Amino acid sequence: MPRSMTLRFSPFVLASALLLAPTLLVAQEATPVPAPAPVPPPDETRPSRGGVSGFFIDVGRDYRAWFTMDTTRTLMVGTAAAMFVRPADVPLSDRGLSEIEDGLTAGDEYGNLSLQVPLALAWWSIGKATGSRRAASAGRDLLRAQISATSWTYVGKYAVGRTRPNGDPRSFPSGHASSSFAAATVVQRHYGWKLGVPFYALGIYTAASRIHDRKHWLSDTVMGATVGIAAGRAVTLRVKRRAVHVVPARVAGGVMLQFLVDP
């Protein structure tokens, strides 16, 4: 029998939870539990192909995976969260993180593709060299996630054309946030929360550094994190994780949500 946990939420708590919604989405299964069918969907079951040509075929599949209910759900919640925090953009940029002196400078380096791409390639290469299929698959997925996240981030940047706090163009969404959260999502999907939590902490640190340096507004980083999470989930559809089902129910005095985790 699945284990159950019951929580009650007030409207204030539900509103506050939007701030954490993109990150919390990764705790769900990449796709809903399918009904029995003769042939399962190929993107959920087909293993990644080997070789250079196979890599680029999988990159193409990653783009198609964006047009799924899983990605739609992630983007809808992340967009709602970005809209929710947008009123805090200017106050936070003017008076919030600007009070911190020099404690967030490393975020600019960590979220940059000049670090994330070599990190992915090194992870992939070490996995291949040591015969670790898990590490090789994770490194391969890290690289695919960076390609996907960067592509969709720049689609958003040129489509929206938002000005940064420092006056530079193409603020929305944050590329550093999308890159770091894409990496965190892939790591969490392959290795679980023990390794995923530190990587998400690095993603939050990176996003905070971009606000501190007046390179981005808060809502830019929330949407960047959303794009990164969606990219990380898209490249790991085949990774088997335990499903988490959310079952709402009315109770006296409010609403109850039951989180059922498959054994």
Side-chain angles (χ1 to χ4, degrees):
M1 292 293 293
R3 294 170 291 177
S4 66
M5 177 174 62
T6 300
L7 298 175
R8 295 172 183 267
F9 294 93
S10 68
F12 174 78
V13 173
L14 287 174
S16 301
L18 282 176
L19 297 175
L20 297 175
T23 300
L24 293 176
L25 272 172
V26 302
Q28 300 180 2
E29 178 66 6
T31 54
V33 177
V39 180
D43 277 342
E44 297 172 26
T45 58
R46 186 187 307 155
S48 294
R49 300 168 173 84
V52 176
S53 61
F55 176 81
F56 286 105
I57 290 173
D58 284 340
V59 168
R61 287 172 53 195
D62 297 337
Y63 287 116
R64 293 199 301 272
W66 275 71
F67 301 96
T68 62
M69 285 303 300
D70 181 76
T71 301
T72 300
R73 184 169 56 246
T74 302
L75 294 176
M76 286 179 63
V77 174
T79 301
M83 293 174 63
F84 183 83
V85 304
R86 186 168 182 175
D89 280 350
V90 174
L92 184 62
S93 179
D94 289 345
R95 298 188 299 275
L97 297 181
S98 60
E99 297 177 358
I100 303 174
E101 294 299 328
D102 298 316
L104 300 175
T105 55
D108 181 63
E109 299 298 328
Y110 178 73
N112 200 299
L113 288 177
S114 63
L115 185 147
Q116 290 294 332
V117 170
L119 174 65
L121 289 171
W123 204 309
W124 189 1
S125 299
I126 292 171
K128 294 285 284 186
T130 59
S132 172
R133 295 180 60 185
R134 185 185 196 184
S137 178
R140 193 175 189 273
D141 287 350
L142 282 168
L143 184 57
R144 289 165 55 193
Q146 294 303 329
I147 293 172
S148 181
T150 301
S151 301
W152 291 110
T153 295
Y154 274 90
V155 168
K157 284 180 179 293
Y158 281 97
V160 177
R162 189 182 192 187
T163 302
R164 300 172 188 259
N166 63 3
D168 290 342
R170 294 185 291 278
S171 181
F172 183 91
S174 166
H176 280 63
S178 67
S179 177
S180 56
F181 274 83
T185 302
V186 171
V187 170
Q188 187 276 326
R189 299 278 286 173
H190 278 278
Y191 296 95
W193 285 105
K194 288 184 178 180
L195 197 54
V197 167
F199 273 81
Y200 275 115
L202 285 170
I204 293 171
Y205 171 85
T206 299
S209 76
R210 303 301 283 171
I211 299 170
H212 173 268
D213 294 342
R214 297 182 60 80
K215 298 291 182 65
H216 284 290
W217 308 101
L218 172 62
S219 56
D220 297 342
T221 63
V222 172
M223 197 64 210
T226 302
V227 172
I229 289 170
R233 291 172 67 83
V235 305
T236 55
L237 284 176
R238 73 190 186 285
V239 178
K240 301 299 182 182
R241 310 296 298 175
R242 292 189 303 172
V244 178
H245 313 285
V246 183
V247 181
R250 277 191 174 276
V251 296
V255 177
M256 175 182 70
L257 292 181
Q258 293 187 84
F259 292 83
L260 306 178
V261 184
D262 287 348

